[in-house]
Amino acid sequence: MDEIQEHESQSIGKDDEDEIVVEQAAGVHGDPVQHGDFPPKVDSAVEILQEKVTKQVVKEGHGQKPCKYATCFLHYRAWTESTQHKFEDTWHEQRPFEMVLGKEKKEMAGLAVGVSSMKAGERALLHVGWELGYGKEGSFSFPNVPPMADIIYEVELIGFDEVREGKARGDMTAEERIGAADRRKMDGNSLFKDEKLEEAMQQYEMAIAYLGDDFMFQLFGKYRDMALAVKNPCHLNMAACLIKLKRHEEAIAQCTIVLAEDENNAKALFRRGKARAELGQTDAAREDFLKARKHAPEDKAITRELRLLDEHDKAIYKKQKEIYKGIFGPPPQPKPKPANVLTRMWQWLILIGQWLLSLIYRLFKRERRKAD
């Protein structure tokens, strides 16, 4: 069974053995790729691959290096060394680049030299001389590279298929591409079970590369259904890994891709809601959870997340109430002012005068009765 189950989320995902489920306790932190406009600063040793190609390792990879005619999947950014002008970025386009070593375009010769020295998951900085780049004339179309321009590449080798796959993606039939993607997905699930999250994501990303938008637009009927049955679980499994790695914005993006195809996908709604809740986007998270509950009303994990959001809101309200109470507080009571001495003396004199008048009046009445 290829699914990783979670004790709190048994129903979200249990009907599909191709998908993993996010575990609650995640103590792994990833190293997301930085999105700079300039080449990164690297302190590692410089390795000379050829006279015109040098390499500095940014992040170590794992496993073997690709051999000739292997189909490699990679992300890269490219700058002209003299002007630091960035002219290509596959990370920004969110589409891995495919390269068959030994069959690359002429302007990619230096890049191919660097890729052939890398392991899966490795990220490196390459310096390529103009002779193995865009040459003496450069390129004035796209990309725009001046003549005799040395190139700097930041490259990450996602993974590669050895010669046994036999073909580049463009030469495969629909069944072959879907099958290759499915194998990568299964490898990713195995790596996820071993908590090798970065490596698992590389496999999922390679699987998705086989099922790119240009390929999906050409599919109809059963072939499109077959492709989506592989592609969507890969996006959801990517989201599961990203949630564990605390890369919540990227997880939201993966779930949103699935929801663009299937707006009622309860797993995508649930995982996007989890990621949004972690980012403090409680209103958006609640909206996702409520939609997910509509399509999975008996799911306990959804109910639990909604309850946690309610408890969070109550705690925030109570805290704010205490803060405002401390700021404003009850209205102060006026303190009695001390009486003025002269005023008190006049009050006593008036009382004494009233008493004397009353006494004189009584004496006068008594004397008058005697006279009568």
Side-chain angles (χ1 to χ4, degrees):
M1 184 170 178
D2 299 310
E3 181 182 350
I4 308 290
Q5 293 286 351
E6 178 190 12
H7 68 277
E8 70 164 10
S9 183
Q10 294 294 327
S11 55
I12 290 286
K14 72 177 183 180
D15 57 338
D16 189 341
E17 296 186 350
D18 293 329
E19 293 183 16
I20 55 178
V21 178
V22 184
E23 296 180 6
Q24 181 65 22
V28 186
H29 296 274
D31 178 24
V33 176
Q34 300 300 314
H35 299 280
D37 291 327
F38 300 97
K41 303 295 183 182
V42 183
D43 297 327
S44 60
V46 177
E47 180 182 356
I48 300 175
L49 304 178
Q50 279 190 14
E51 183 182 356
K52 299 296 180 180
V53 183
T54 63
K55 182 179 84 168
Q56 290 176 278
V57 175
V58 178
K59 184 183 74 172
E60 295 288 346
H62 56 85
Q64 302 297 317
K65 297 176 182 179
C67 63
K68 191 174 182 179
Y69 302 125
T71 301
C72 300
F73 297 91
L74 55 134
H75 275 302
Y76 72 91
R77 297 188 185 94
W79 296 264
T80 54
E81 189 165 14
S82 59
T83 64
Q84 304 284 291
H85 167 66
K86 183 170 69 173
F87 59 87
E88 277 196 290
D89 187 343
T90 64
W91 275 295
H92 179 73
E93 297 168 3
Q94 297 184 343
R95 181 178 298 180
F97 179 73
E98 179 186 359
M99 171 186 287
V100 179
L101 295 180
K103 296 183 178 181
E104 67 277 352
K105 295 179 180 179
K106 182 180 178 181
E107 62 268 21
M108 294 291 182
L111 178 60
V113 170
V115 171
S116 65
S117 72
M118 298 172 68
K119 299 176 181 179
E122 181 178 333
R123 192 157 78 242
L125 195 69
L126 303 177
H127 288 258
V128 177
W130 62 266
E131 296 89 344
L132 296 180
Y134 286 85
K136 189 174 183 179
E137 296 182 356
S139 173
F140 292 97
S141 56
F142 179 83
N144 186 4
V145 181
M148 302 177 67
D150 295 337
I151 306 297
I152 300 175
Y153 290 103
E154 181 185 7
V155 188
E156 181 174 5
L157 179 59
I158 299 168
F160 56 89
D161 282 329
E162 292 291 1
V163 183
R164 62 183 177 82
E165 290 289 357
K167 301 176 182 178
R169 286 180 298 176
D171 298 328
M172 290 181 175
T173 65
E175 292 94 336
E176 288 172 336
R177 287 182 72 158
I178 294 170
D182 190 54
R183 286 191 292 275
R184 289 297 179 183
K185 180 195 67 183
M186 303 293 280
D187 290 344
N189 288 354
S190 297
L191 289 166
F192 185 93
K193 290 179 181 179
D194 295 334
E195 291 293 322
K196 298 178 179 179
L197 302 183
E198 294 282 0
E199 296 174 33
M201 288 198 298
Q202 290 165 6
Q203 296 300 316
Y204 295 137
E205 194 165 3
M206 286 183 65
I208 293 168
Y210 276 108
L211 306 173
D213 292 340
D214 54 343
F215 175 67
M216 296 298 295
F217 286 144
Q218 302 173 34
L219 298 182
F220 300 94
K222 71 171 185 177
Y223 288 113
R224 183 172 179 82
D225 292 340
M226 289 168 58
L228 287 175
V230 177
K231 185 174 184 288
N232 283 351
C234 285
H235 285 297
L236 292 175
N237 294 350
M238 283 275 287
C241 293
L242 291 165
I243 288 172
K244 288 173 70 69
L245 292 169
K246 311 299 183 185
R247 291 158 57 178
H248 299 110
E249 290 183 354
E250 295 173 71
I252 290 171
Q254 293 295 325
C255 294
T256 301
I257 291 172
V258 176
L259 292 168
E261 289 282 353
D262 179 10
E263 63 180 357
N264 298 325
N265 190 298
K267 294 175 188 176
L269 289 165
F270 177 78
R271 290 179 188 172
R272 190 172 72 173
K274 290 265 289 185
R276 284 175 164 174
E278 290 291 339
L279 291 174
Q281 302 171 4
T282 54
D283 291 339
R286 181 177 286 103
E287 183 179 352
D288 280 341
F289 288 139
L290 290 173
K291 288 181 180 178
R293 187 172 65 178
K294 181 179 179 182
H295 302 289
E298 301 301 322
D299 192 271
K300 295 180 180 179
I302 300 173
T303 303
R304 179 178 179 273
E305 292 297 331
L306 285 169
R307 185 177 68 252
L308 289 174
L309 282 181
D310 289 340
E311 292 174 357
H312 175 268
D313 288 348
K314 289 178 181 178
I316 293 295
Y317 174 77
K318 183 178 180 181
K319 187 175 181 180
Q320 290 176 341
K321 188 176 179 181
E322 291 296 325
I323 291 173
Y324 293 143
K325 182 179 179 181
I327 293 174
F328 299 108
Q333 297 296 326
K335 295 181 180 180
K337 296 181 179 180
N340 189 285
V341 176
L342 292 176
T343 303
R344 294 180 67 82
M345 288 180 62
W346 276 109
Q347 290 174 346
W348 279 108
L349 290 172
I350 292 171
L351 289 173
I352 293 171
Q354 290 176 343
W355 177 77
L356 288 173
L357 288 173
S358 175
L359 179 62
I360 293 170
Y361 177 73
R362 286 198 296 271
L363 290 173
F364 175 77
K365 286 181 68 175
R366 186 166 57 183
E367 291 296 324
R368 187 172 183 176
R369 279 199 295 270
K370 287 182 179 180
D372 293 341

